[in-house]
Amino acid sequence: MIKHRPVPASLDDPLYYLENMDILVAWVANHHADLLTEQERNRLAAFSGLATGPRALLTRMVMRTGELFRADKLRYPELPVPESEALRTLVQAGWLDPAPELSLDDLFRLFTLAELRPEFADWLQQQGHPKTLGKARMRELLAEPFNAPRALGAWLPGGGEASTVVRLQDMALFDRIRLMFFGNLRQSWTDFVLVELGVQQFESVPFTPASRAFQQRAEVDCYLQMHQCRERLENGEPAVDVWPDVPGPVDNPWLASRRDRLLLELGRQAERQGERELALEVLENSGHREAQLKQLRLLERMKRFEEAWAIACQWQATELSDAEAQGLSRLLKRLAPKVGADQPEPVDNPPLQEFTLTLPKPDTGTVELAALQHLGTDDAPVFYVENTLINALFGLLCWPVIFQPLPGAFFHPFHIGPADLTREDFVARRQQAFEQRFRLLGTGAYRREILDTYKNKQGIANPFVFWPVLDEALLELALHCIPSGHLEALFRRLLNNIKEHRSGFPDLIRFVPDAEQPEQRYEMIEVKGPGDRLQDHQVRWLQFFARQGIPASVCYVRWQDDEARG
DNA sequence: ACCGCCCACACAAGA
DNA sequence: AATTCGACCG
DNA sequence: TCTTGTGTGGGCCGGTCGAAT
Ligand SMILES: [Mn+2]
Ligand SMILES: [Mn+2]
């Protein structure tokens, strides 16, 4: 029987992890063979040809961190053969290097302080260091004099024979197939297990065997190369050294936006490392909004006002998102006097509702909870929901649209949402389906629909639904109190830019189910403690609420004790 | 749905 | 000596 | 004083066990 969908192994099988690996390898060999080199295909075939014991042990190593392992730390009683025998086979078949060169760092990761201390005791004593050095300090001291890699026998001539260290040879290949299968490197073998355990549930969306994350090998290579760049940055490597290895501009929009984000991070690091010219170049090459703004701010700080002004003006002449307009107008306001231009006319932002509360400072709990306690009554209960409520109402109403089996949207059984969720054309590809769901808001059928979906899909992952904060009573209250016209306005803005508009909602929502006016049965409240301030995207939602007549306000909290002093 | 986001909070600098 | 941290596991 | 920018820290199954401080 041909498997159209990889199904995780039962955990009753003691070799469940091997079955999962076999499933993944077979899936890749069947559906991604054209993205592999001849050599890689042969290697995978050789893997599948290994006997159970060695294959299982190799899988265990692939699933663990790093490439180096002490043989005496590989203890897997479920194997059908002794570990030593499986190891021999793997060495003979070229999967393991039995005598790898180890750096000092490798050595210190593999062996404990107690094991290392006697080996370096004499040397440290000669240098006049105390015997009780910690592991990190000891490694620092040894780093320079012992910077050359050595085989284990040369590091530990005394006690070394008790232990062997092996190096996994083909980790890059296993990372590559994991990437091709999942379409990312954040998911892994453990996703199979979490599903079996019931910790995670994913919607079952049909996908054709032909649907996959990558169409060309060059795309996979590009992803892997950018991933390496990011890792190097995280390890503190200077931005100048990483920049030459960043792939050039790419056509694939998904990879292009990943590249934009990488360049933003690279630019940040460059700036922090004092490489201003590099930062400018890198940020200019990123299409990311924050990168563009950062480039302008850096020019401003370097007093290159004319340059910044020119770019900013050019940018402002294009179609701007709310966020761009917001960031750009702040810049233009500062730049105008520097270049002798007129102050740009201020955009007429609607005023926001505000009020101040003075509360006793609670010993425990957050400022949001303190405000909630104070504001909530039996007739007007208050909930601390932030983004979760509106997002959930949207996710539940539009469930079938979100999980519509479009080409390229789903390609393995472990998707939280469609792969193209934050891509430019996500909504356009589903416009009719969304409109159809929104029509339910006009007929009143949406309440039933949302509550039914809440019951039927309980616990199943959805990028808009955070299950632990929801319950039926909250949903019913929300559906009673929030007019459907408001919901439609909120949902349409959300769809307008999912990435930017799924967050920034106020902390609290207050329901007044018995209010006369249907428009006044609820109110959203953003709480700000002393020293906190509204974030940009919070302001943008609040301004939207104000323009739409959606009740919302900002609650500034002061602590009673501070006030006496202040 | 990309080791990233989504929040509050802390500190600095310039107007 | 007691606590914190992280790798590993199902 | 206000505004604005920037950097930080926590939390991501839950439990066990070894290692480090
Ligand atoms: Mn909040
Ligand atoms: Mn708040």
Side-chain angles (χ1 to χ4, degrees):
Chain A
M1 181 187 124
I2 298 175
K3 286 216 175 139
H4 288 294
R5 152 180 293 266
V7 178
S10 159
L11 297 175
D12 295 337
D13 178 359
L15 293 177
Y16 69 91
Y17 56 91
L18 175 57
E19 193 182 330
N20 289 335
M21 175 64 91
D22 285 341
I23 290 169
L24 196 148
V25 168
W27 186 264
V28 169
N30 285 334
H31 303 112
H32 302 252
D34 58 312
L35 304 186
L36 296 170
T37 65
E38 168 111 40
Q39 195 196 6
E40 287 164 348
R41 284 195 294 269
N42 291 339
R43 211 69 192 122
L44 287 185
F47 175 81
S48 300
L50 282 170
T52 301
R55 205 163 82 256
L57 182 59
L58 186 58
T59 300
R60 282 293 196 186
M61 289 192 262
V62 168
M63 290 165 54
R64 283 172 58 168
T65 48
E67 301 185 348
L68 293 165
F69 302 93
R70 287 169 61 159
D72 60 340
K73 299 285 182 188
L74 297 171
R75 283 284 114 86
Y76 295 108
E78 78 278 6
L79 297 186
V81 299
E83 289 88 349
S84 59
E85 189 186 322
L87 278 173
R88 261 200 310 281
T89 309
L90 290 172
V91 169
Q92 272 163 20
W95 293 97
L96 299 177
D97 176 355
E101 298 270 295
L102 307 177
S103 71
L104 187 77
D105 279 358
D106 293 334
L107 187 75
F108 270 62
R109 264 193 295 272
L110 287 163
F111 292 88
T112 67
L113 182 57
E115 289 167 323
L116 292 168
R117 207 171 249 161
E119 300 293 335
F120 296 101
D122 289 347
W123 188 90
L124 288 168
Q125 195 168 19
Q126 278 170 24
Q127 306 291 312
H129 297 298
K131 280 188 153 78
T132 57
L133 284 175
K135 201 177 185 184
R137 182 81 190 108
M138 188 166 150
R139 198 184 54 224
E140 277 172 32
L141 288 170
L142 298 171
E144 277 303 312
F146 293 89
N147 66 344
R150 307 175 182 188
L152 181 61
W155 278 117
L156 311 177
E161 84 281 353
S163 184
T164 319
V165 169
V166 295
R167 182 190 295 278
L168 187 53
Q169 298 286 38
D170 294 272
M171 203 50 207
L173 176 57
F174 287 102
D175 281 340
R176 181 179 283 268
I177 64 173
R178 182 162 64 90
L179 171 60
M180 290 190 292
F181 180 83
F182 286 109
N184 63 64
L185 284 173
R186 135 197 68 86
Q187 288 181 283
S188 70
W189 331 97
T190 64
D191 283 64
F192 285 81
V193 179
L194 294 187
V195 164
E196 269 310 279
L197 285 173
V199 171
Q200 288 190 47
Q201 289 175 262
F202 296 102
E203 181 64 311
S204 170
V205 184
F207 54 87
T208 63
S211 93
R212 49 187 199 175
F214 297 95
Q215 303 309 322
Q216 299 165 32
R217 184 178 174 87
E219 295 169 342
V220 186
D221 290 339
C222 179
Y223 189 110
L224 287 168
Q225 198 179 336
M226 293 195 293
H227 183 74
Q228 275 171 13
C229 290
R230 180 162 296 271
E231 280 184 326
R232 288 165 61 191
L233 280 179
E234 275 163 21
N235 291 333
E237 204 173 315
V240 228
D241 298 342
V242 178
W243 170 229
D245 294 328
V246 176
V250 285
D251 288 335
N252 181 323
W254 165 49
L255 292 174
S257 89
R258 284 189 65 84
R259 180 170 177 272
D260 287 341
R261 277 205 308 266
L262 172 62
L263 291 181
L264 171 60
E265 186 53 34
L266 192 58
R268 273 207 187 107
Q269 298 294 338
E271 198 178 332
R272 209 175 306 170
Q273 292 157 12
E275 302 271 2
R276 290 185 155 189
E277 291 299 333
L278 176 66
L280 281 179
E281 185 186 359
V282 170
L283 293 172
E284 188 186 356
N285 273 280
S286 169
H288 196 288
R289 165 172 51 82
E290 271 310 309
Q292 300 288 311
L293 288 170
K294 248 179 159 16
Q295 181 204 1
L296 294 180
R297 289 196 283 256
L298 183 51
L299 282 171
E300 179 190 21
R301 211 142 24 100
M302 293 164 78
K303 312 241 184 276
R304 286 153 70 168
F305 301 119
E306 303 287 346
E307 245 174 293
W309 178 257
I311 298 173
C313 288
Q314 212 176 338
W315 191 9
Q316 210 198 16
T318 66
E319 185 101 7
L320 294 178
S321 74
D322 294 357
E324 289 170 331
Q326 195 179 25
L328 206 46
S329 80
R330 271 203 291 259
L331 260 158
L332 287 168
K333 203 168 61 185
R334 290 196 305 263
L335 285 172
K338 304 289 188 184
V339 299
D342 288 341
Q343 235 354 279
E345 47 193 276
V347 270
D348 56 331
N349 291 321
L352 305 180
Q353 292 263 23
E354 299 176 350
F355 64 98
T356 303
L357 288 181
T358 304
L359 303 175
K361 184 164 183 160
D363 314 330
T364 164
T366 64
V367 63
E368 293 87 355
L369 289 175
L372 183 151
Q373 300 267 324
H374 182 265
L375 295 169
T377 66
D378 287 348
D379 294 339
V382 179
F383 298 83
Y384 182 18
V385 294
E386 280 182 340
N387 307 317
T388 59
L389 180 63
I390 303 301
N391 274 294
L393 291 171
F394 170 79
L396 291 171
L397 179 66
C398 296
W399 194 287
V401 189
I402 293 161
F403 291 104
Q404 208 177 315
L406 293 185
F410 297 89
F411 40 84
H412 60 71
F414 310 105
H415 285 274
I416 290 173
D420 59 346
L421 181 64
T422 56
R423 243 105 99 190
E424 194 75 14
D425 60 349
F426 172 79
V427 177
R429 292 179 76 195
R430 297 156 174 86
Q431 192 70 57
Q432 287 318 306
F434 275 123
E435 293 303 333
Q436 205 181 331
R437 299 309 283 181
F438 286 174
R439 276 199 285 279
L440 297 175
L441 291 166
T443 68
Y446 69 99
R447 292 195 182 90
R448 194 66 279 134
E449 197 65 29
I450 286 174
L451 289 169
D452 284 350
T453 307
Y454 171 77
K455 286 204 194 86
N456 297 334
K457 300 296 187 181
Q458 192 82 231
I460 298 179
N462 177 310
F464 297 99
V465 181
F466 185 60
W467 290 101
V469 302
L470 294 180
D471 63 56
E472 201 166 354
L474 173 62
L475 286 179
E476 277 175 353
L477 202 49
L479 289 172
H480 171 70
C481 295
I482 308 176
S484 60
H486 289 189
L487 285 180
E488 178 164 357
L490 296 170
F491 293 170
R492 287 199 184 276
R493 178 169 142 92
L494 178 56
L495 279 190
N496 187 18
N497 188 335
I498 292 173
K499 204 202 283 249
E500 285 179 2
H501 296 168
R502 60 193 297 177
S503 62
F505 288 94
D507 295 311
L508 308 179
I509 189 162
R510 176 169 166 268
F511 294 117
V512 193
D514 299 328
E516 297 283 319
Q517 296 288 331
E519 320 271 298
Q520 291 171 1
R521 290 188 183 146
Y522 78 109
E523 174 191 18
M524 288 183 275
I525 303 161
E526 169 57 34
V527 180
K528 286 297 165 198
D532 192 9
R533 63 179 193 252
L534 290 170
Q535 298 173 43
D536 286 357
H537 63 320
Q538 293 176 329
V539 171
R540 281 182 259 127
W541 264 117
L542 289 165
Q543 290 175 348
F544 176 82
F545 298 150
R547 277 191 285 265
Q548 298 287 318
I550 291 173
S553 55
V554 184
C555 166
Y556 291 97
V557 174
R558 306 186 55 172
W559 302 126
Q560 240 156 33
D561 304 346
D562 293 0
E563 188 156 84
R565 270 170 234 140

